[in-house]
Amino acid sequence: MSKKSKKDKDKQLRTPIVSVLGHVDHGKTTLLDKIRKGRVTAKEAGGITQHIGATEIPIEMIKNICKDIWRKEVELPGLLFIDTPGHKAFTNLRRRGGALADLAILIVDINEGFKPQTEEALSILRTFRTPFVVAANKIDKIPAWQSPGFVPFLKSYSMQEDIAKNRLDNKIYELIGKLYEFGFSADRFDRITDFTRNVAIIPISALTGEGVPELLLVLVGLAQRFLEDSLRLHVSGKAKGTILEVKEEKGMGITCDVILYDGTLKVGDRIAIAMRDGVKVTHVKGILKPRPSQEMRLESKFRSVKSVVAAAGVKLIAADLEGVLAGSEFEAIESEKDIEEFRKRLEKEYEEIEIRTDEE
Ligand code: GDP
């Protein structure tokens, strides 16, 4: 490999990981379904999600959803959405494994406002310093609101009667006030110039799709501008990931659904997995990758691959997975020294989490 192409490869942008958080029934599942379906196809998109999974939305699909408002080219390959079934699983993952998501969407039913799980989600986002946007959902339920369908929010807003506009404005102010109580400066997205300092509130309807174009556009913009520098959104070095679920599969034995968040993982790689009482070393026998924009738990939609580049949700087949717990970290290793470094990294991360949680 020539020097230049190696350098280019080192700089490959990885897919940012986005989590959707919020109070039960505020619309997480509906929003993910809407994003998966896109704007034109009415095809069944895989139904309600009850387990932890991930969906990769390629940039072309995002562009298509945002086509009325898309302004400039971006380098990102797409976004990987993590879908969490309720809040607890996410909290456990975060508490155990450190920062799983690069970005988050905090979804709030605009008519109901903040609820206990909204507040809990906000505390977690603050603890882990995860950049996030607020999706103020269910605007179609605002009395007198007339939904024109899957269009940008600003277009829908401009078509509304004053009474509906005022109701929405008031609800947004309430959200701004609540976010302020938690120490965040927030505003409606179209009044924000610096998205890295202010939390953007994007009014949406996960049911009709209104505002979903802007939601995706703001996320892509945030990922591109903010994460590229501060969190080094480049694929680099060793494969690193978090285990979402461990389960027995017919004919495969025990397998793991994982999110690979850095590096490239290959069949045959040795990996170290964090256990409650130390580190387990095994090797990757198979990698099953979901097809783009399909939910990763639908087995028939998997295909076997030789390697996978972060970020991605994949199923791993490996020897000796007994006792591995959901939420555990893993890392590709080549030597004893790597195992020791992995152990040290985990210790450090746990300490940091404890310190930050204590700061709360
Ligand atoms: P989750 O528990 O956060 O995943 O919430 P769901 O996505 O399951 O949504 C809960 C209920 O709210 C379902 O009946 C959805 O159809 C409904 N819902 C979600 N988003 C919207 C929306 O934007 N508008 C309306 N009218 N209903 C919605």
Side-chain angles (χ1 to χ4, degrees), residues 43-85:
K43 222 173 111 230
E44 242 317 295
I48 304 290
T49 50
Q50 300 288 347
H51 305 273
I52 296 167
T55 308
E56 186 181 352
I57 309 290
I59 199 75
E60 287 308 317
M61 191 167 159
I62 296 174
K63 254 192 222 173
N64 185 271
I65 294 175
C66 304
K67 59 179 181 245
D68 309 331
I69 50 174
W70 191 269
R71 268 173 253 118
K72 58 179 184 194
E73 284 311 306
V74 295
E75 294 166 68
L76 298 175
L79 296 171
L80 186 79
F81 287 89
I82 305 267
D83 177 30
T84 54

Side-chain angles (χ1 to χ4, degrees), residues 31-299:
L31 174 62
L32 285 165
D33 277 354
K34 197 76 189 171
I35 294 171
R36 271 195 289 268
K37 277 183 199 164
R39 201 156 168 180
V40 274
T41 67
K43 222 173 111 230
E44 242 317 295
I48 304 290
T49 50
Q50 300 288 347
H51 305 273
I52 296 167
T55 308
E56 186 181 352
I57 309 290
I59 199 75
E60 287 308 317
M61 191 167 159
I62 296 174
K63 254 192 222 173
N64 185 271
I65 294 175
C66 304
K67 59 179 181 245
D68 309 331
I69 50 174
W70 191 269
R71 268 173 253 118
K72 58 179 184 194
E73 284 311 306
V74 295
E75 294 166 68
L76 298 175
L79 296 171
L80 186 79
F81 287 89
I82 305 267
D83 177 30
T84 54
H87 211 72
K88 229 178 177 141
F90 182 83
T91 316
N92 286 345
L93 282 176
R94 305 289 301 213
R95 295 258 153 91
R96 288 205 213 129
L100 181 60
D102 298 303
L103 298 169
I105 300 172
L106 178 62
I107 191 161
V108 189
D109 181 334
I110 194 166
N111 304 290
E112 288 203 338
F114 271 47
K115 289 281 176 186
Q117 287 172 341
T118 320
E119 300 192 353
E120 196 193 353
L122 207 47
S123 304
I124 296 167
L125 294 171
R126 189 173 54 190
T127 302
F128 289 93
R129 300 187 181 116
T130 309
F132 67 97
V133 299
V134 173
N137 192 30
K138 307 199 189 183
I139 59 171
D140 63 290
K141 281 176 77 179
I142 291 172
W145 191 272
Q146 304 276 336
S147 286
F150 203 150
V151 297
F153 163 75
L154 287 176
K155 181 167 179 196
S156 171
Y157 185 76
S158 71
M159 294 159 74
Q160 304 300 322
E161 304 272 350
D162 283 346
I163 186 163
K165 281 185 182 163
N166 288 341
R167 281 178 180 144
L168 178 120
D169 292 345
N170 288 338
K171 292 291 183 188
I172 298 287
Y173 285 128
E174 282 173 25
L175 288 181
I176 293 171
K178 272 288 181 187
L179 285 156
Y180 186 77
E181 283 175 26
F182 278 79
F184 293 104
S185 156
D187 212 336
R188 208 172 81 185
F189 68 98
D190 52 310
R191 302 182 193 123
I192 291 179
T193 46
D194 186 348
F195 285 85
T196 62
R197 283 171 190 272
N198 297 285
V199 174
I201 301 174
I202 302 125
I204 66 158
S205 165
L207 208 62
T208 68
E210 287 158 278
V212 172
E214 285 109 326
L215 174 65
L216 292 174
L217 199 69
V218 171
L219 278 176
V220 166
L222 255 193
Q224 185 87 12
R225 257 175 277 144
F226 189 80
L227 298 176
E228 223 175 291
D229 303 329
S230 61
L231 291 185
R232 293 184 304 280
L233 199 60
H234 293 115
V235 182
S236 63
K238 283 180 208 147
K240 291 180 192 156
T242 298
I243 291 165
L244 295 182
E245 223 177 324
V246 184
K247 57 185 171 189
E248 184 114 27
E249 295 283 358
K250 252 195 181 157
M252 297 185 204
I254 300 176
T255 67
C256 294
D257 288 357
V258 308
I259 297 294
L260 181 73
Y261 61 74
D262 200 7
T264 303
L265 187 68
K266 298 186 284 302
V267 172
D269 277 354
R270 285 177 79 210
I271 54 171
I273 305 174
M275 303 290 286
R276 198 174 280 164
D277 51 358
V279 168
K280 172 183 280 218
V281 177
T282 179
H283 73 276
V284 180
K285 289 205 278 191
I287 302 173
L288 300 177
K289 203 174 180 239
R291 298 178 195 284
S293 78
Q294 294 290 345
E295 242 255 292
M296 72 177 282
R297 291 183 323 281
L298 304 174
E299 272 89 327

Side-chain angles (χ1 to χ4, degrees), residues 23-30 137-138 140-141 205-207:
H23 195 75
V24 64
D25 281 348
H26 279 198
K28 296 182 294 293
T29 313
T30 311
N137 192 30
K138 307 199 189 183
D140 63 290
K141 281 176 77 179
S205 165
L207 208 62

